[in-house]
């Protein structure tokens, strides 16, 4: 979909919204305007502190519900987590992905920075990016596919004061509604204007030189009309300081609301321009199975390879003639959004709902990616360097020099490493509409029919590989190497330290349309609440990828770094994909009493292939449809000072695809397999009658393993290709047991309440990849918080993360399989960032 088509879709959506407004005006007929209940909730949430009536089962949720009015959490036949703006602040998330750990069994690996998180969900065999996660704003997915290479939907979203609350749903009825997500869905509800103008202005300073401004203002425009505007701007060096701003940018969001007695229209727009450091694994020493210590010269809590010396490069292998790239642009987003929600009650049991979202922009990646483990300069030279032929030249005399001009590298035992300097330009466009109409057939029974349409594109330009030789030190300096042989000078690297221009340099242009029709019936009879839903969905996609040929870029035989580089040769291969699948879900809640319920749910769903799944395939040989069947049994209980939601699940997958790859380059044939997981999710909350003390405990225990893996399959490890069978291995990057325990104290004072809290996070034993050969151990980290409400307007908040400087790993070198530790015990891995504190002063009015 080109920009002209996107503009037409945006205009069409705006016209449709205007027409709906006109229809509603015609039906208004001088009815007295009424403020929406949602707006009242927004105003209440803004004024509340972090202990504002902690999450409880009496709340009404709308995610995973067919009808407009939503359902009480205790009545829902599935487990759903909610958090107000104040409760989000208590969680002190490092990113939008990190917030998802409020849902039991969800483990976002946020050690990679603000964006690009791997989001793991217990029993969903992901292992990278976030294929089983959908991010929604106001009930509409942000993009037509959950995840692509170098993209997952949490990276399209930033948390700020425009968020009223979030609802996080795992599985259950989400296989039928929205985009049919079989895994995890987060739905962010925006604050809107209210009858009484209100807002806030906050200033934050953090120990990593964080400087941030947040603001929100909601107001009344006219009778029945409301508006709001808000956002943030910030800059930060980051805990791992790369010698330039690690995170820099901002976001602006506005809403326009029209309320009638019979319905409402909400239009919203958002602009996001933010760039973030994508944190590369650093070296550690493995001292035992799942046990690690710091590598000499590296602080595992604060150091990074990134530096000004390697910030700017020219990549000759980038498709179309090369490009200049800047590490400071990181892995960020430059996006525009325009969406709307229209809800109407026609009377006589008829209701209508329509949600749309049009968005687009760039989500580029400029980052280092791990290569081989560190070694001495002499061992690197004696191996012939890491250029394509790998031969050791006889009689070669090497010269190595720092690229910053500080002189020669004369110590043959100097520690060096090569890291891939990758640049990916990703342009995304998406237009989504979800229409549904409901009719109450008889008392307690409502039938809903819906139509979901999504059209989206992905236009990529990749330059992967580009290994850069550098000092194995924090804020590393690149090294340029040449040698003289037979009176001729051979350049092993270019002047920037790049050993090899390229590795996988492609163009990829994908376009897809999803069409889904769904029916849902909900029935309340006596103590039973029953629902049954079915969805028929078709994905029609195509993907064009350029074909590659090896070329000598500059035609010079003595510049070894670019003598044989795979480049687009002007031809492309197209893969077509057209699949239709039926998903369904059945749910039942039995009310033992008004505050106690048992629930059960069964569902079967599918995960359609993404553009990246199609790459390298040919029509008729595309990967099979990934399918899941999921069964849940749960118990909910609610008292003023106590609530609990405990569920048992059994999740089975079929159609998982494994593609061998070596440092990001695929090789060999694909194979399919499955997984089988049983587990328990729990959320328990308790408090004293006066709310002086409260505690929340949530977590997950799971037993998940791979199954139906046929024969031995190739994996690329430290010592080359090896073969193994992974049947029975623990699901990669998924802790067997994890929990988060948050006690909170409220101390009344003469001028306001002081609240103190801490969160203990335990992440149990987990492994790096499907082989299970690299244990990553377990860890415990602690976050703390304090908030003082001074008078009616001022709020002061102090937050601290990983205050005990726990050394915990989320992943090792994801470009190699099996054991990632060399013979000396050196391993490249991503540990938690060290302690970080920030203080915010906010004025509320």
């Amino acid at each position: 979909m080109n920009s002209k088509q996107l503009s037409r879709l945006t205009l069409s959506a705006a016209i449709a919204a205007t027409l709906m407004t006109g229809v509603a005006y015609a039906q208004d007929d001088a009815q007295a305007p009424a403020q929406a209940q949602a707006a009242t909730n927004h105003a209440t949430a803004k004024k509340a502190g972090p202990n504002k009536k902690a999450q409880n089962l009496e709340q009404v949720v709308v995610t995973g519900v067919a009808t407009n009015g939503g359902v009480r959490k205790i009545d829902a036949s599935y487990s759903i987590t909610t958090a107000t703006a104040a409760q989000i602040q208590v969680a002190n998330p490092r990113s939008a992905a990190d917030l998802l750990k409020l849902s039991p069994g969800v483990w976002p690996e946020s050690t990679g920075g603000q964006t690009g998180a791997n989001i793991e969900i217990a029993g969903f065999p992901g292992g990278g990016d976030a294929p089983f996660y959908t991010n929604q704003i106001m009930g509409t997915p942000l993009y037509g596919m959950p995840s692509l290479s170098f993209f997952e939907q949490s990276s399209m979203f930033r948390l700020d004061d425009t968020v009223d609350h979030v609802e996080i749903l795992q599985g259950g009825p989400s296989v039928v509604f929205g985009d049919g997500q079989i895994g995890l869905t987060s739905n962010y509800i925006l604050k809107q204007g209210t009858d009484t103008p209100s807002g806030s202005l906050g200033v934050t300073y953090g120990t990593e030189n964080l400087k941030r401004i947040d603001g929100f203002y909601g107001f009344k425009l006219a009778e029945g009309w409301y508006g709001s505007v808000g956002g943030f701007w910030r800059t930060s060096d980051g805990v791992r300081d790369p010698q330039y701003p690690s995170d820099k940018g901002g976001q602006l969001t506005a809403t326009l609301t029209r309320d009638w007695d019979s319905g409402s229209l909400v239009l919203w727009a958002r602009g996001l321009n933010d760039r973030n450091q994508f944190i590369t694994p650093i070296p550690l020493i493995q001292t035992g199975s799942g046990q690690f210590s710091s590598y000499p010269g590296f602080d595992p809590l604060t150091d990074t390879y990134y530096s000004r010396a390697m910030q700017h490069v020219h990549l000759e292998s980038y498709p179309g003639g090369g490009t200049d790239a800047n590490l400071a642009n990181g892995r960020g987003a430059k996006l525009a959004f325009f969406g709307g929600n229209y809800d109407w009650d026609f009377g006589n049991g008829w209701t209508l709902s329509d949600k749309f979202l049009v968005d687009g922009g760039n989500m580029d990646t400029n980052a280092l990616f791990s290569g081989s483990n560190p070694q001495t300069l002499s061992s690197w030279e004696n191996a012939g360097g890491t250029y394509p032929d790998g031969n050791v030249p006889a009689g070669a005399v090497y010269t190595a020099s720092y690229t910053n001009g500080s002189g020669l590298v004369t110590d043959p035992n100097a520690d060096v490493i090569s890291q891939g300097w990758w640049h990916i330009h990703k342009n995304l466009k998406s237009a989504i509409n979800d229409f549904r109409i409901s009719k109450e057939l008889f008392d307690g029974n409502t039938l809903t029919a819906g139509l979901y349409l999504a059209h989206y594109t992905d236009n990529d330009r990749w330059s992967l590989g580009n290994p850069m030789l550098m000092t194995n030190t924090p804020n590393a300096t690149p090294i340029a190497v040449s040698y003289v042989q037979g009176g001729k000078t051979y350049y092993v690297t270019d002047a920037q330290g790049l050993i090899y221009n390229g590795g996988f340099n492609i163009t990829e242009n994908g376009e897809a349309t999803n069409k889904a029709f769904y029916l849902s019936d909900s029935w309340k009879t006596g103590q039973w609440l029953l629902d049954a839903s079915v969805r028929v969905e078709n994905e029609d996609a195509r993907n064009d990828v350029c074909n590659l040929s090896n070329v000598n870029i500059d035609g010079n035989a003595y510049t070894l770094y670019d003598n044989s580089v795979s480049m687009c040769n002007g031809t492309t291969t197209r893969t077509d994909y057209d699949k239709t699948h039926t998903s369904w879900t059945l749910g039942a809640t039995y009310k033992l009493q008004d505050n106690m319920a048992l629930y059960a749910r069964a569902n079967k769903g599918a995960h359609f292939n993404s553009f990246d799944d199609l790459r390298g395939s040919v029509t008729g040989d595309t990967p099979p449809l990934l399918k899941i069947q999921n069964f849940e049994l749960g118990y909910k209980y609610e008292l003023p000072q106590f609530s609990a939601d405990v569920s048992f699940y059994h999740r089975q997958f079929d159609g998982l695809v494994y593609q061998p790859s070596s440092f990001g380059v695929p090789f060999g044939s694909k194979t399919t397999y499955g997984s089988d997981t049983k587990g328990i999710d729990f959320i328990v909350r308790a408090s004293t009658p006066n709310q002086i003390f409260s505690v929340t405990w949530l977590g997950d225990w799971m037993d998940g393993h791979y199954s139906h893996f046929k024969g031995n399959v190739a994996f690329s490890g430290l010592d080359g290709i090896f073969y193994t069978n992974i049947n029975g291995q623990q699901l990669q990057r998924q802790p067997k047991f994890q929990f988060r325990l948050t006690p909170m104290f409220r101390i009344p004072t003469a001028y306001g309440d002081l609240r103190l809290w801490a969160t203990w996070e335990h992440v149990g034993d987990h492994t790096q990849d499907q082989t299970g050969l690299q244990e990553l151990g377990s860890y415990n980290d602690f976050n703390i918080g304090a908030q003082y409400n001074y008078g009616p307007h001022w709020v002061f908040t102090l937050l601290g993360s990983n205050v005990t400087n726990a050394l915990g790993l989320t992943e090792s070198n994801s470009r190699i399989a099996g054991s990632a530790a060399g013979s000396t015990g050196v391993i490249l891995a991503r540990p938690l960032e060290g302690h970080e504190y920030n203080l915010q002063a906010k004025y509320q009015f």
Side-chain angles (χ1 to χ4, degrees):
M1 181 171 62
N2 58 35
S3 58
K4 191 173 183 179
Q5 290 173 312
L6 183 65
S7 299
R8 288 175 178 170
L9 279 168
T10 306
L11 180 60
S12 299
I15 292 172
T18 304
L19 290 174
M20 286 189 288
T21 305
V23 170
Y25 262 131
Q27 298 187 38
D28 191 15
D29 195 21
Q31 294 174 347
Q35 180 182 9
Q37 183 62 42
T40 303
N41 293 341
H42 299 333
T44 303
K46 287 203 298 281
K47 298 295 183 184
N51 203 26
K52 178 240 172 195
K53 188 115 175 162
Q55 298 173 344
N56 62 75
L57 300 176
E58 291 297 316
Q59 293 176 330
V60 173
V61 294
V62 297
T63 309
V65 182
T67 56
N68 296 350
V71 65
R72 290 195 312 164
K73 286 175 68 176
I74 198 166
D75 294 335
S77 53
Y78 52 90
S79 180
I80 186 169
T81 302
T82 61
T84 65
Q87 290 162 340
I88 290 172
Q89 187 175 46
V90 169
N92 190 17
R94 297 173 178 87
S95 64
D98 199 44
L99 177 68
L100 301 174
K101 64 189 178 186
L102 289 177
S103 181
V106 180
W107 186 44
E109 299 176 8
S110 53
T111 55
Q114 291 281 316
T115 60
N118 300 313
I119 300 172
E120 303 296 338
I121 309 158
F124 288 81
D129 293 320
F132 306 119
Y133 168 65
T134 291
N135 197 11
Q136 297 181 351
I137 298 180
M138 302 294 284
T140 308
L142 301 190
Y143 186 70
M145 287 178 175
S147 180
L148 296 168
S149 293
F150 310 104
F151 159 74
E152 42 77 32
Q153 289 190 13
S154 78
S155 296
M156 302 180 77
F157 186 86
R158 302 293 185 274
L159 293 164
D160 61 19
D161 284 348
T162 64
V163 172
D164 177 71
H165 68 279
V166 63
E167 299 177 357
I168 307 173
L169 170 63
Q170 287 189 48
S174 64
V175 300
V176 170
F177 303 115
D179 63 343
Q181 175 58 261
I182 62 177
L184 180 74
T185 298
S186 64
N187 183 16
Y188 290 91
I189 308 301
L190 299 174
K191 292 179 181 176
Q192 299 162 40
T194 55
D195 279 325
T196 302
S198 60
S200 62
L201 181 64
V203 178
T204 304
Y205 180 77
T207 52
E208 74 284 12
N209 198 27
L210 167 68
K211 300 169 185 175
R212 176 167 172 144
I213 299 174
D214 286 88
F216 174 79
Y217 182 54
F219 48 90
K220 182 177 181 179
L221 289 166
E223 284 302 319
W225 287 92
Y226 304 91
S228 73
V229 62
F232 78 92
W233 178 90
R234 65 97 171 77
T235 181
S236 168
D237 292 342
V239 176
R240 302 187 185 278
D241 185 359
Q243 300 180 330
Y244 49 79
S246 171
D247 302 294
K248 187 174 183 179
Q251 178 172 268
L252 185 66
T253 305
T255 70
L256 177 65
T257 303
R258 177 65 168 107
D259 287 335
W260 302 271
D261 282 344
S262 298
S264 65
L265 169 69
V266 181
L267 298 176
W268 62 275
R270 167 171 286 190
L272 170 63
N273 189 351
D274 194 34
R275 58 194 192 196
N276 316 96
Q277 179 186 185
F278 183 67
I279 297 172
T280 301
I282 61 171
L284 295 102
I285 302 295
Q286 181 166 325
T287 57
S289 179
Q291 298 178 331
F292 308 92
S293 62
S294 60
Y295 181 89
F298 264 88
D299 187 330
L301 300 169
T302 60
D303 283 341
T304 178
Y305 282 110
Y306 289 54
S307 68
R308 287 196 191 97
M310 67 180 74
Q311 178 181 347
H312 298 278
V313 295
H314 180 78
L315 301 177
E316 289 187 294
S317 59
Y318 182 77
T323 190
D324 293 324
N326 183 355
L327 271 182
N329 290 332
R331 184 167 179 172
K334 191 173 184 179
L335 300 165
F337 303 82
F338 176 58
N341 290 29
Y342 178 68
D343 297 288
W344 198 261
D345 187 342
F346 293 97
N348 297 319
W350 286 96
T351 60
L352 177 148
S353 174
D354 189 76
K355 302 178 176 67
F356 75 87
L357 175 58
V358 180
D359 56 51
N362 296 330
M363 297 196 67
D364 293 355
T365 295
N366 300 269
L368 297 182
F369 286 81
S370 298
S372 301
N373 280 351
Q375 58 185 312
T376 64
L377 177 61
S378 62
S379 65
W380 183 85
E381 291 174 341
N382 290 334
T386 315
Y387 57 88
D389 60 23
N391 294 321
V392 181
V397 179
Y398 283 93
T399 299
S401 60
Y402 298 109
T403 61
N404 63 357
S406 60
L408 299 176
V409 186
T410 57
D411 181 4
N413 294 315
D415 232 7
V416 299
I417 193 171
S418 65
Q419 303 270 3
W421 208 121
W422 293 15
H423 173 71
I424 300 94
H425 171 63
K426 182 176 288 290
N427 180 263
L428 303 173
K429 295 184 179 71
S430 178
I432 296 175
N433 194 87
D434 191 352
F435 172 85
R436 62 183 69 172
I437 189 165
S438 300
K439 176 67 171 78
E440 186 178 27
L441 301 180
F442 52 86
D443 187 31
N445 185 281
T446 300
L447 179 68
T448 299
L451 179 65
Y452 173 85
L453 298 172
H455 184 78
Y456 46 99
T457 63
D458 173 32
N459 297 288
D460 286 9
R461 302 292 181 270
W462 292 14
S463 181
L464 273 55
N466 304 312
M468 175 181 279
L469 184 67
M470 62 188 70
T471 58
N472 187 41
T473 59
N475 302 127
T477 301
I479 298 172
V481 178
S482 62
Y483 66 83
V484 176
Q485 184 185 37
K488 300 290 186 181
T489 300
Y490 294 81
Y491 296 92
V492 182
T493 76
D494 69 6
Q496 308 168 108
L498 293 175
I499 304 163
Y500 177 47
N501 282 123
F504 195 52
N505 312 297
I506 62 167
T507 64
E508 177 175 283
N509 299 289
E511 182 175 7
T513 300
N514 283 58
K515 304 175 289 292
F517 175 75
Y518 54 90
L519 280 174
S520 178
D521 188 83
S522 58
W523 187 19
K524 184 175 182 179
T525 174
Q527 294 171 281
W528 288 95
L529 290 90
L530 309 171
D531 68 82
S533 306
V534 63
R535 174 191 185 95
V536 179
E537 181 171 8
N538 170 263
E539 180 180 291
D540 186 1
R542 65 168 177 81
N543 197 35
D544 294 313
V545 180
C546 74
N547 298 314
L548 303 173
S549 297
N550 288 339
V551 298
N552 184 330
I553 294 180
D554 63 3
N556 184 348
Y558 299 113
T559 52
L560 304 179
Y561 52 83
D562 66 0
N563 281 354
S564 181
V565 181
S566 294
M567 302 283 285
C568 292
N569 61 20
T571 66
T572 60
T573 296
R574 170 170 292 187
T575 304
D576 292 308
Y577 180 78
D578 192 343
K579 288 282 187 181
T580 300
H581 186 265
T582 300
S583 300
W584 58 264
T585 182
L586 297 171
T589 299
Y590 182 75
K591 299 295 292 295
L592 298 170
Q593 53 193 53
D594 191 55
N595 65 340
M596 186 187 305
L598 296 172
Y599 64 92
R601 180 163 296 277
N603 64 267
K604 295 192 74 170
H607 177 80
F608 287 92
N609 284 325
S610 71
F611 297 129
D612 298 298
D613 296 324
L614 306 183
R615 189 188 319 117
S617 300
V618 295
T619 300
D621 187 35
T622 54
L625 202 62
L626 175 59
K627 299 177 183 179
I628 179 180
Q629 62 178 17
N630 181 45
F631 302 95
E632 299 175 62
L633 291 172
Y635 170 79
K636 297 179 182 181
Y637 183 57
E638 171 80 10
L639 287 174
Q641 275 74 55
F642 179 82
S643 66
D645 187 345
V646 182
S647 62
F648 167 81
Y649 58 82
H650 184 196
R651 294 165 179 165
Q652 295 172 302
F653 276 81
D654 180 46
L656 291 165
V657 177
Y658 172 69
Q659 169 67 69
S661 64
S662 178
F663 292 96
V665 180
F667 71 92
S669 58
K670 299 175 182 177
T671 188
T672 59
Y673 58 108
S675 70
D676 191 294
T677 304
K678 300 178 180 69
I680 298 174
D681 284 338
F682 60 89
I683 304 178
V684 180
R685 298 184 178 89
S687 66
T688 58
N690 53 11
Q691 297 290 312
I692 294 298
F693 174 77
S694 63
V695 62
T696 300
W697 188 38
L698 65 92
D700 167 84
W701 172 88
M702 74 103 188
D703 178 20
H705 60 271
Y706 297 108
S707 62
H708 303 95
F709 204 91
K710 298 176 182 178
N712 293 329
V713 175
F715 288 85
S716 179
L718 272 180
D719 300 319
I721 307 301
F722 67 98
Y723 294 82
T724 189
N725 188 298
I726 67 172
N727 278 325
Q729 292 291 347
Q730 178 182 341
L731 295 187
Q732 67 178 120
R733 312 256 275 269
Q734 296 204 13
K736 291 182 178 179
F737 181 53
Q738 57 178 313
F739 68 79
R740 292 158 192 93
L741 180 69
T742 303
M744 176 181 289
F745 292 89
R746 182 177 66 88
I747 304 173
T749 72
Y751 299 100
D753 286 352
L754 172 66
R755 294 179 173 87
L756 305 173
W757 67 88
T759 296
W760 170 20
E761 179 180 37
H762 171 76
V763 173
D765 291 334
H766 53 289
T767 62
Q768 167 59 28
D769 57 33
Q770 296 103 317
T771 70
L773 298 174
Q774 180 58 61
E775 293 281 352
L776 297 177
S778 62
Y779 64 82
N780 296 278
D781 73 311
F782 294 86
N783 296 343
I784 62 170
Q787 187 173 82
Y788 183 50
N789 293 274
Y790 181 76
H793 299 295
W794 287 99
V795 180
F796 299 93
T797 306
L798 175 67
L799 299 172
S801 60
N802 195 14
V803 295
T804 59
N805 282 334
L807 178 58
L809 304 191
T810 63
E811 65 173 294
S812 61
N813 190 342
S814 60
R815 266 150 293 286
I816 60 174
S819 174
S823 58
T824 58
V826 180
I827 183 174
L828 294 173
R830 276 181 176 155
L832 300 177
E833 291 181 327
H835 66 261
E836 175 185 15
Y837 295 91
N838 62 72
L839 175 66
Q840 182 188 69
K842 179 181 287 188
Y843 183 79
Q844 297 185 146
F845 55 91

